[in-house]
Amino acid sequence: MRVIIEPDYETASKWSANFVASRITSSGASESKLFVLGLPTGSSPLGMYKELIELYKAKKVSFKNVITFNMDEYINLPEDHPQSYHRFMWDNFFGHIDIPKENVNILNGNAPDLKAECTSYEEKIKKVGGIDLFVGGIGPDGHIAFNEPGSSLSSRTRVKTLTYDTIVANSRFFDGDVNKVPKRALTVGVKTVMDAEQVLIIVNGHNKARALRHAIEEGINHMWTISALQMHPQGIIVCDEEAAVELKVGTAKYFKDIESANLDPATLLKS
Ligand code: GLP
């Protein structure tokens, strides 16, 4: 696992955006071989999306040959609801770049047959050759996508009931009213994410510090589903100093030392 500890949210977002852009541009993606990108919603990736839009405007990256799969979506929330993940993605990212509409995949939380929707999502990912890079965030309880504590680490796309902790955490987007937050969601599984060739997780802010410690310093445990990343051959965590406060001094120093010797992919697109 690589752990990139950046001074703050802005630099962590820049690092992530530059990494994603450099992966796309160096992949040799074409109309016949699209780059397959998994994407999250939430506040964590917002800075990265802003940076990616800037890189697109500066002609440093194009999304013409990119196909995306989002992690999750609420059940029974209209697609045009301000807090639906469909709306989030078009407002904050897709609406500002050159991705073809037909290359955007987001789970349909209003599908008549939710189980069939999940099965066909997995099949579509398989059909395009699997995900090249899955970008994610985590909840304060260490969940990835909507794989709440106790989710199987071999799980695939399915319906999940949200924990009260997640409902409270996400109520900030629903006028602070827990009753307005949908209680169920469709989500890719832990295994769906871990099957990607590379996984990049953005972790920022003090309220994620405990989860980050569990992800990096504790064992693999279904109560902290992000800890499955320890088994991934190419897992990367990009965090800010605030999220790193619960790491041991020695752990943080170790990862910083390693990274200072690395050719930083985040610098590749600068200049
Ligand atoms: C939700 C999403 C996750 C996201 C998490 C953290 O639960 N399903 O994919 O990582 O929120 O959100 P935020 O980045 O806003 O803290």
Side-chain angles (χ1 to χ4, degrees), residues 42-44 71-72 85 137-139 143 145-146 166 170 172-173 208:
S43 49
S44 311
M71 288 191 140
D72 42 19
Y85 288 173
I138 57 170
H143 73 243
F146 269 128
T166 296
N170 289 2
R172 69 191 195 276
F173 301 115
K208 304 284 173 71

Side-chain angles (χ1 to χ4, degrees), residues 2-261:
R2 284 181 72 187
V3 179
I4 320 290
I5 305 172
E6 286 289 316
D8 54 37
Y9 178 61
E10 203 187 323
T11 54
S13 299
K14 279 195 175 145
W15 196 99
S16 308
N18 282 318
F19 183 83
V20 172
S22 69
R23 283 287 288 115
I24 293 169
T25 50
S26 65
S27 69
S30 64
E31 264 176 49
S32 57
K33 179 74 190 88
L34 300 173
F35 185 84
V36 189
L37 183 61
L39 292 174
T41 53
S43 49
S44 311
L46 268 179
M48 176 192 74
Y49 288 142
K50 282 201 181 95
E51 281 298 322
L52 280 171
I53 293 166
E54 291 308 313
L55 289 173
Y56 160 70
K57 284 186 187 156
K59 297 195 172 21
K60 292 193 172 178
V61 65
S62 163
F63 297 86
K64 273 216 161 79
N65 296 321
V66 174
I67 182 167
T68 61
F69 288 87
N70 260 80
M71 288 191 140
D72 42 19
E73 177 57 287
Y74 291 114
I75 290 175
N76 279 344
L77 199 63
E79 270 184 21
D80 59 357
H81 186 284
Q83 296 309 331
S84 86
Y85 288 173
H86 278 78
R87 189 68 191 271
F88 175 99
M89 290 308 297
W90 283 99
D91 286 356
N92 293 298
F93 191 40
F94 298 143
H96 308 275
I97 56 170
D98 61 346
I99 190 159
K101 198 170 186 289
E102 62 275 18
N103 286 5
V104 169
N105 295 281
I106 306 178
L107 283 155
N108 177 6
N110 296 292
D113 183 342
L114 294 173
K115 206 170 167 209
E117 170 70 11
C118 295
T119 309
S120 77
Y121 205 66
E122 286 279 341
E123 275 164 8
K124 193 159 188 198
I125 292 173
K126 211 168 159 192
K127 213 168 141 204
V128 295
I131 292 180
D132 293 309
L133 171 63
F134 220 133
V135 182
I138 57 170
D141 58 4
H143 73 243
I144 179 161
F146 269 128
N147 294 287
E148 299 285 36
S151 292
S152 163
L153 301 184
S154 332
S155 51
R156 297 235 160 246
T157 306
R158 67 208 184 292
V159 173
K160 276 301 283 182
T161 301
L162 308 188
T163 61
Y164 187 65
D165 278 359
T166 296
I167 291 170
V168 171
N170 289 2
S171 66
R172 69 191 195 276
F173 301 115
F174 292 84
D175 309 323
D177 183 351
V178 288
N179 297 312
K180 289 187 183 165
V181 184
K183 306 289 174 284
R184 295 189 311 151
L186 296 183
T187 179
V188 294
V190 180
K191 188 79 167 68
T192 319
V193 178
M194 295 305 146
D195 275 352
E197 193 185 322
Q198 277 185 319
V199 180
L200 171 68
I201 303 294
I202 303 164
V203 188
N204 65 284
H206 192 267
N207 69 331
K208 304 284 173 71
R210 192 162 159 244
L212 189 65
R213 176 169 63 77
H214 277 272
I216 298 173
E217 293 182 341
E218 304 291 330
I220 299 166
N221 188 319
H222 65 167
M223 295 311 285
W224 300 86
T225 53
I226 182 57
S227 64
L229 193 67
Q230 293 176 23
M231 290 292 287
H232 197 283
Q234 289 195 63
I236 305 173
I237 290 179
V238 183
C239 64
D240 62 3
E241 288 282 358
E242 277 198 34
V245 289
E246 285 209 24
L247 295 181
K248 288 185 190 120
V249 174
T251 305
K253 185 175 179 321
Y254 169 74
F255 283 111
K256 281 182 180 174
D257 283 353
I258 290 181
E259 288 306 323
S260 66

